[in-house]
Amino acid sequence: MSDAPSANGRPILEIEDVHVFYGAIHAVKGITLDVREGEIVTLIGANGAGKSTTLRAINGLNHPRKGTIRFQGEDITMRAPHEIVSMGIAQSPEGRRLFPRMSVLENLEMGAFQRKDRTRYREDFDRVFHLFPRLHERRTQKAGTLSGGEQQMCAIGRALMAHPNLLLLDEPSMGLAPILVERIFEIVVEINKEGTPVLLVEQNALMALSTAHRGYVLETGRIVLSGDAKSLRDNEQVRKTYLGES
């Protein structure tokens, strides 16, 4: 997959010394990272490391108590979630979170509800159906009756219908059969090659580091390692802790 080093594009997302709390619990402890144009960047770590909390800080669901988040040079640290979506950040959440009684088509349309520019609306439908032909076949079917893999495709497709400048993916491989995991990651690479930067949160460290250009390793709310994906994949600590090697 994406073994080549990423292009030295300008930063599209910059997170600087961000601290996030849940009440008295200090969940994210001063992380600093960036995503550049043209990149897939991955956050890996165990359950509870702070990966999803980091995404919640970016999308405005958990405002940091300290630190700064900038998107395309603009401070979004305290912006509301709907403002962040309208600025061009879309997320496919952990657990899909589809509208189960609505059709695939209606779920995809929900991804575009904040768009003012409707000129590329049809084009983006075509793009989603090109990436996920199964969704075109199932377009009138209720989302709740889809298989797990199809639901994941629908969740990613819904995020793409926002025509994002940055795509956040939270655990896209969760609960999927290995053959479907491989297909989902192939599609992530294809989405990126079409020009959309991706920030990928993923527990399947091997697939994530095989797909991404760069990565960050989180442990108990702190970044303990970072670098290009290949060097992280070859790192002895990463291999033992996250890739299951003894």
Side-chain angles (χ1 to χ4, degrees):
M1 294 196 187
S2 276
D3 268 341
S6 58
N8 292 318
R10 65 184 176 87
I12 190 165
L13 177 74
E14 299 164 277
I15 298 175
E16 189 176 331
D17 192 27
V18 160
H19 295 253
V20 183
F21 288 76
Y22 291 109
I25 298 167
H26 197 174
V28 169
K29 304 168 184 173
I31 69 168
T32 296
L33 61 86
D34 64 51
V35 179
R36 296 175 176 269
E37 289 177 335
E39 282 191 316
I40 301 172
V41 173
T42 188
L43 296 181
I44 64 170
N47 264 338
K51 305 184 303 296
S52 293
T53 302
T54 300
L55 293 191
R56 289 174 68 85
I58 295 165
N59 65 29
L61 291 171
N62 276 93
H63 293 309
R65 198 172 290 183
K66 181 186 173 190
T68 308
I69 302 172
R70 286 185 295 274
F71 178 61
Q72 295 180 319
E74 191 167 337
D75 189 338
I76 63 166
T77 314
M78 302 306 289
R79 292 288 192 109
H82 70 275
E83 293 179 301
I84 289 169
V85 171
S86 68
M87 290 173 75
I89 297 179
Q91 180 170 343
S92 174
E94 182 181 352
R96 287 61 134 170
R97 307 276 179 90
L98 299 176
F99 300 97
R101 295 185 180 181
M102 292 167 64
S103 70
V104 167
L105 206 56
E106 288 166 335
N107 270 274
L108 294 176
E109 286 170 344
M110 289 300 290
F113 84 99
Q114 274 203 299
R115 285 179 63 171
K116 294 179 178 67
D117 165 31
R118 292 281 163 161
T119 54
R120 297 187 65 174
Y121 191 68
R122 175 49 53 194
E123 204 176 301
D124 286 317
F125 261 121
D126 291 343
R127 179 193 185 197
V128 169
F129 289 144
H130 168 73
L131 288 166
F132 303 109
R134 188 74 60 84
L135 294 184
H136 188 262
E137 294 168 19
R138 303 276 195 270
R139 62 191 180 279
T140 60
Q141 191 171 320
K142 282 188 169 62
T145 66
L146 300 174
S147 70
E150 290 164 349
Q151 288 189 17
Q152 186 60 68
M153 292 172 188
C154 192
I156 296 173
R158 181 179 60 187
L160 289 175
M161 285 302 298
H163 201 78
N165 296 319
L166 175 65
L167 178 62
L168 309 179
L169 295 177
D170 195 356
E171 304 287 4
S173 77
M174 186 179 282
L176 301 186
I179 191 164
L180 279 173
V181 170
E182 205 160 301
R183 180 63 191 135
I184 289 292
F185 279 100
E186 285 170 359
I187 289 164
V188 171
V189 170
E190 196 170 336
I191 289 166
N192 178 247
K193 283 179 177 172
E194 289 177 355
T196 306
V198 177
L199 179 58
L200 167 68
V201 160
E202 180 55 61
Q203 271 196 289
N204 186 333
L206 182 60
M207 286 301 295
L209 292 173
S210 298
T211 303
H213 299 98
R214 289 190 299 118
Y216 295 87
V217 180
L218 266 68
E219 284 182 11
T220 58
R222 292 186 172 90
I223 291 171
V224 294
L225 282 170
S226 64
D228 71 82
K230 186 178 186 308
S231 69
L232 287 177
R233 217 164 61 234
D234 294 340
N235 180 284
E236 188 178 350
Q237 183 184 340
V238 172
R239 295 178 81 89
K240 284 181 178 175
T241 308
Y242 301 104
L243 306 184
E245 297 186 9
S246 55

